[in-house]
Amino acid sequence: PRRRSWAVRASSSSATVANPEGIKIMTVPTKPVEGQKTGTSGLRKKVKVFMKENYLANWIQALFNSLPPEDFKNGLLALGGDGRYFNLEASQIIIKIAAGNGVGKILVGREGIMSTPAVSAVIRKRKANGGFIMSASHNPGGPDYDWGIKFNYSSGQPAPEYITDKIYGNTLSISEIKMADIPDVDLSRLGVTQYGSFSVEVIDPVSDYLELMESVFDFELIKSLVSRSDFRFAFDAMHAVTGAYAKPIFVDKLGADPGSIANGVPLEDFGHGHPDPNLTYAKDLVDVMYGENAPDFGAASDGDGDRNMILGRRFFITPSDSVAIIAANAQAAIPYFQSGPKGLARSMPTSGALDRVADKLNLPFFEVPTGWKFFGNLMDAGKLSVCGEESFGTGSDHIREKDGIWAVLAWLSIISYRNKDKKIGEKLISVEDVAKEHWATYGRNFFSRYDYEECESEGANQMIGYLRELVSKSKAGEKYGNYVLQFADDFTYTDPVDGSIASKQGIRFVFTDGSRIIFRLSGTGSAGATVRIYVEQFEPDVSRHDMDAQMALKPLIELALSVSKLKEFTGREKPTVIT
Ligand code: G6P
Ligand code: ZN
């Protein structure tokens, strides 16, 4: 049973006052807890930490203490999550504290389920003041694993750093939690429940999002491909949130075979999986797509539905190429972009494939730090339409989050468009064909990322310190093996819209031939430190495009390991994940 009883500990000293509008508000005394600082995307910890007395409640109250009252008093907030363990209990806590702080109405997905992109879409469509997403994204779920919470603002984007910093500040001085004394809401039934002047509406997590997708894409065009007898589609929802979206969208709307959806039921522990769509963790799908009689198109999404992986038959599309290929084909294949994208952007470690598309299409181009939130201002200012990150995030300004299903629909649109005149039996243009054509036109940016997960923080920090020192002493023209340094720095970003500055965003060594090696510590881990090394090399020569990326990048990877002294600092011989 998914339902367990839960309450914030209302100690005997908690005061209850009658609220003029009819609901009782309790004031629950509390004490600050350490370590509630948010990372790249929200607060993430082991679920056992979140289940400690008032841990979640403190953070939620600190959030209300940090927002200007006009941003929530009598306002509308959305609430969703990826279906992981503890979400149902957390939903009740969040609803009661929201009511206690004077929020007017909460829109919550049925069973607490709503993907990150769908929450962003709901906030925008329903003009909500913001919303909560209960997810630790791609991190495993269940009693021994992770939980997380994110807050998004009124245009549907992750809360800016000045708000999350303020929340953190308030977690350090919090002394009381305001909670409405209302019963647990039945999250299994659609509809509105009124409690005095406060109400909760349980909504279908799919319908607003599906409506948006139908306005962005040509569903008839996609259906003409997906429902063909000579095209086989495979989608792996990894027992995570897109399980709730896959059947209504791919099967019911687009005519895919019901058997094309794998792991399509969201589970609290993601079926013991690690819901991260990459070559390591989406192994089931990879085996299918590289096996005998492989389908034509494969895709997967992560815990909360914002990441994606795209595969052709025995062919992997690296996310850096994915965004470039979508951008290059968007105007022709996707109605939303019929007047052409306004601008393109990628995160700093993402390969330069997109830069080449921007150049050729003569579009404004931006390079931002890792973290989707950096795209939001550019979108709000009308400067950016299509963007992506190497970390399997792709999206556009239809919402303010990356969007896994959107990326799958974008790729299906491209393949549909290219095959729209093909008769049954004629050879179809494949995912691989589209990628290779793209490389032939723009050149290929070989790219790979090495992750060293859960390293000791001390050694990892020392390594970064060592690299910073190296950067400060570096000079253009220096030799690094066969490479000649163009520059080395620790990436700093100045937001062109509001002038805000984000510094220390990753150490890069850029060489004169355009090759790069980049070092960062992840901002999304929940234990220890994760070191990421990104390597990239541009190859204009078509005859070399078929090379395996790991082979092509071997010299640069070796250079990255020796420059950083990674082995000495972390004791690690091998990466935990290679993408
Ligand atoms: C999340 C964020 C992305 C980010 C990714 C990796 O998915 O939404 O914007 O690229 O994490 O971040 P990290 O700090 O772990 O490299
Ligand atoms: Zn995610």
Side-chain angles (χ1 to χ4, degrees):
R2 285 171 61 83
R3 193 151 299 280
R4 286 176 300 272
S5 70
W6 176 270
V8 166
R9 192 85 53 87
S11 64
S12 51
S13 60
S14 69
T16 304
V17 289
N19 170 305
E21 277 90 32
I23 47 172
K24 283 182 188 155
I25 311 293
M26 300 185 292
T27 307
V28 183
T30 189
K31 288 199 191 77
V33 260
E34 276 180 14
Q36 296 203 311
K37 195 169 173 54
T38 61
T40 309
S41 45
L43 182 64
R44 254 180 228 185
K45 299 282 171 195
K46 295 287 169 208
V47 70
K48 293 217 162 98
V49 174
F50 270 104
M51 290 171 89
K52 284 188 187 152
E53 186 179 347
N54 292 355
Y55 189 94
L56 172 62
N58 270 15
W59 192 85
I60 300 291
Q61 182 62 53
L63 180 132
F64 285 112
N65 295 347
S66 308
L67 299 178
E70 63 273 20
D71 281 2
F72 64 89
K73 289 273 180 204
N74 301 315
L76 178 65
L77 293 179
L79 171 62
D82 58 8
R84 74 177 58 223
Y85 179 80
F86 187 58
N87 278 12
L88 289 171
E89 293 84 344
S91 303
Q92 303 294 349
I93 295 172
I94 294 167
I95 289 169
K96 286 171 191 172
I97 299 176
N101 283 275
V103 170
K105 184 173 180 180
I106 300 262
L107 296 165
V108 52
R110 186 176 38 220
E111 298 289 2
I113 285 195
M114 198 164 9
S115 73
T116 290
V119 169
S120 188
V122 166
I123 292 172
R124 294 169 68 78
K125 181 182 168 193
R126 311 246 188 160
K127 305 210 168 12
N129 300 79
F132 295 96
I133 301 161
M134 302 173 289
S135 172
S137 189
H138 49 281
N139 295 12
D144 295 323
Y145 295 100
D146 293 3
W147 201 80
I149 180 100
K150 304 187 268 188
F151 183 72
N152 283 23
Y153 238 145
S154 55
S155 67
Q157 84 279 32
E161 218 142 285
Y162 76 88
I163 291 286
T164 52
D165 286 349
K166 219 165 157 188
I167 299 172
Y168 177 58
N170 280 322
T171 63
L172 299 175
S173 61
I174 191 163
S175 61
E176 58 178 46
I177 300 160
K178 284 182 232 147
M179 288 199 103
D181 186 14
I182 54 174
D184 280 4
V185 178
D186 180 356
L187 297 178
S188 66
R189 288 211 335 260
L190 299 183
V192 184
T193 312
Q194 197 78 36
Y195 305 92
S197 60
F198 173 72
S199 65
V200 177
E201 182 176 355
V202 178
I203 62 171
D204 169 26
V206 181
S207 52
D208 284 0
Y209 179 76
L210 175 56
E211 185 187 292
L212 177 63
M213 291 301 109
E214 289 189 275
S215 75
V216 168
F217 297 103
D218 180 347
F219 268 45
E220 282 310 309
L221 174 69
I222 303 175
K223 191 173 183 177
S224 71
L225 175 80
V226 172
S227 61
R228 285 177 77 112
S229 56
D230 57 351
F231 178 82
R232 283 171 51 230
F233 171 72
F235 181 80
D236 191 341
M238 305 188 85
H239 283 306
V241 78
T242 53
Y245 296 78
K247 185 178 171 290
I249 297 178
F250 298 122
V251 177
D252 300 344
K253 278 280 170 184
L254 295 170
D257 187 297
S260 61
I261 312 294
N263 304 319
V265 178
L267 297 176
E268 285 193 329
D269 63 354
F270 309 117
H272 302 294
H274 190 146
D276 201 2
N278 60 39
L279 295 174
T280 304
Y281 294 123
K283 193 174 174 302
D284 292 358
L285 178 71
V286 171
D287 287 349
V288 168
M289 295 305 297
Y290 283 80
E292 289 280 305
N293 197 20
D296 301 278
F297 186 104
S301 190
D302 73 328
D304 60 329
D306 55 359
R307 293 187 174 192
N308 75 92
M309 174 169 70
I310 304 291
L311 298 166
R313 183 185 296 133
R314 294 188 202 97
F315 196 83
F316 168 63
I317 300 287
T318 193
S320 298
D321 278 347
S322 179
V323 62
I325 293 170
I326 291 174
N329 293 281
Q331 186 166 11
I334 303 172
Y336 184 83
F337 302 109
Q338 61 190 342
S339 343
K342 294 173 191 145
L344 307 177
R346 62 165 170 82
S347 65
M348 183 275 279
T350 305
S351 94
L354 187 65
D355 313 30
R356 296 175 185 280
V357 176
D359 207 41
K360 182 150 193 170
L361 302 184
N362 205 7
L363 289 171
F365 172 78
F366 307 90
E367 181 179 38
V368 309
T370 294
W372 201 263
K373 60 183 174 228
F374 292 102
F375 295 125
N377 271 353
L378 297 167
M379 291 178 175
D380 288 346
K383 293 175 184 293
L384 170 61
S385 304
V386 177
C387 52
E389 295 186 274
E390 48 66 38
S391 53
F392 294 80
T394 329
S396 92
D397 62 346
H398 65 290
I399 53 170
R400 294 296 180 272
E401 290 277 5
K402 55 187 181 277
D403 190 341
I405 290 198
W406 176 92
V408 179
L409 293 172
W411 266 92
L412 287 174
S413 298
I414 294 168
I415 306 295
S416 313
Y417 180 78
R418 298 297 306 275
N419 290 297
K420 66 179 180 336
D421 302 320
K422 290 272 157 72
K423 301 202 176 52
I424 296 291
E426 243 181 286
K427 191 183 170 309
L428 297 179
I429 293 167
S430 69
V431 169
E432 178 172 350
D433 296 336
V434 169
K436 288 194 167 160
E437 259 179 47
H438 186 90
W439 295 338
T441 309
Y442 295 92
R444 177 170 180 189
N445 289 70
F446 283 106
F447 177 88
S448 186
R449 182 177 105 184
Y450 279 39
D451 293 340
Y452 301 80
E453 293 170 321
E454 296 197 21
C455 293
E456 297 285 343
S457 297
E458 208 190 315
N461 287 327
Q462 279 171 2
M463 187 187 99
I464 295 293
Y466 168 77
L467 284 166
R468 284 206 175 108
E469 235 184 272
L470 213 62
V471 160
S472 70
K473 290 191 232 136
S474 68
K475 287 191 194 69
E478 275 171 348
K479 284 249 176 183
Y480 284 73
N482 292 331
Y483 299 88
V484 178
L485 191 71
Q486 189 180 340
F487 69 89
D489 70 355
D490 195 348
F491 182 60
T492 298
Y493 176 65
T494 306
D495 186 305
V497 180
D498 64 15
S500 59
I501 293 171
S503 57
K504 300 191 171 166
Q505 297 295 319
I507 291 153
R508 38 178 196 175
F509 294 81
V510 180
F511 302 105
T512 48
D513 67 347
S515 303
R516 306 191 301 168
I517 54 180
I518 295 159
F519 304 88
R520 268 185 77 244
L521 295 185
S522 158
T524 57
S526 60
T530 294
V531 176
R532 302 205 196 285
I533 301 182
Y534 313 80
V535 294
E536 175 186 358
Q537 181 157 308
F538 179 64
E539 181 55 77
D541 179 355
V542 185
S543 72
R544 296 170 62 87
H545 285 172
D546 279 337
M547 258 174 106
D548 174 67
Q550 295 305 319
M551 289 302 297
L553 294 168
K554 203 156 179 273
L556 266 183
I557 291 164
E558 276 161 11
L559 182 64
L561 291 175
S562 73
V563 165
S564 62
K565 302 198 171 151
L566 177 120
K567 220 152 105 182
E568 270 168 60
F569 281 113
T570 65
R572 291 299 176 86
E573 294 282 338
K574 279 204 176 85
T576 34
V577 178
I578 297 181
T579 48

